[in-house]
Amino acid sequence: DQQVKQNSPSLSVQEGRISILNCDYTNSMFDYFLWYKKYPAEGPTFLISISSIKDKNEDGRFTVFLNKSAKHLSLHIVPSQPGDSAVYFCAASAVSAIYDMRFGAGTRLTVKP
Amino acid sequence: NAGVTQTPKFRILKIGQSMTLQCAQDMNHNYMYWYRQDPGMGLKLIYYSVGAGITDKGEVPNGYNVSRSTTEDFPLRLELAAPSQTSVYFCASSWALAGGKGGEQFFGPGTRLTVL
């Protein structure tokens, strides 16, 4: 039962444009969400997080938006850079099982120069 | 700081063999985790530990065992390897429990395991 879904396996954008990566979840108990980035042959690295008490969190070029009613979050990267090319994972957890992060399958972002 | 290190990087096992995947962190994190990632799927939690001597099961613990005798090390043991255990294994650590503020996880580079 995949509780966190990233329905787009891949996304390609031009350098300088906005990248929007989407994530949907089914468990209404999820209250903390994170995005991780992964380069080939490396482990995932933390990018940005958001708590369910917020609907937006910004860190430099990265912004995460949370729509609780739609059970949807998105990661915006503006402007996109070639070095952003990686696989992006969405993850979520519930306060009742705070250790148990559930990950999406990832979206491969390619930023073309 | 080396961060989270994992050995080996690659391994091929025959069905029924056993092995231990090593994981170490030098950040003095209390919380450590083992995940597996199958092709086209997200990471799934195998086991986690909240400190030396304390471990608990995650979503997919069957076929695996762990121990945590020190803060730094968290080895994952596979007994009687099966083809279904073919996967990429990631070890991670965090300052606070994952899923909350400060719980951002630091991951190792992974071990790619094939069971034939």
Side-chain angles (χ1 to χ4, degrees), chain B residues 55-75:
Chain B
T55 63
D56 206 347
K57 297 176 181 178
E59 185 185 358
V60 290
N62 291 344
Y64 307 95
N65 276 302
V66 293
S67 59
R68 183 101 181 267
S69 56
T70 67
T71 300
E72 294 78 20
D73 300 298
F74 190 39

Side-chain angles (χ1 to χ4, degrees), chain B residues 20-74:
Chain B
T20 299
L21 281 66
Q22 301 292 345
C23 174
Q25 54 93 8
D26 62 359
M27 295 173 282
N28 204 31
H29 287 165
N30 279 330
Y31 303 95
M32 295 189 75
Y33 317 81
W34 274 105
Y35 291 92
R36 59 177 287 173
Q37 186 187 16
D38 299 329
M41 304 290 285
L43 282 72
K44 293 194 175 184
L45 183 65
I46 305 171
Y47 270 94
Y48 71 102
S49 170
V50 300
I54 308 170
T55 63
D56 206 347
K57 297 176 181 178
E59 185 185 358
V60 290
N62 291 344
Y64 307 95
N65 276 302
V66 293
S67 59
R68 183 101 181 267
S69 56
T70 67
T71 300
E72 294 78 20
D73 300 298
F74 190 39

Side-chain angles (χ1 to χ4, degrees), chain A residues 6 11 40 51 103 110:
Chain A
Q6 294 177 255
L11 174 69
S51 162
F103 286 78
T110 303

Side-chain angles (χ1 to χ4, degrees), chain A residues 5-26:
Chain A
K5 297 177 184 178
Q6 294 177 255
N7 292 319
S8 298
S10 63
L11 174 69
S12 181
V13 300
Q14 208 65 36
E15 181 180 4
R17 299 289 187 109
I18 184 171
S19 295
I20 300 176
L21 295 94
N22 294 305
C23 178
D24 297 295
Y25 61 95
T26 57

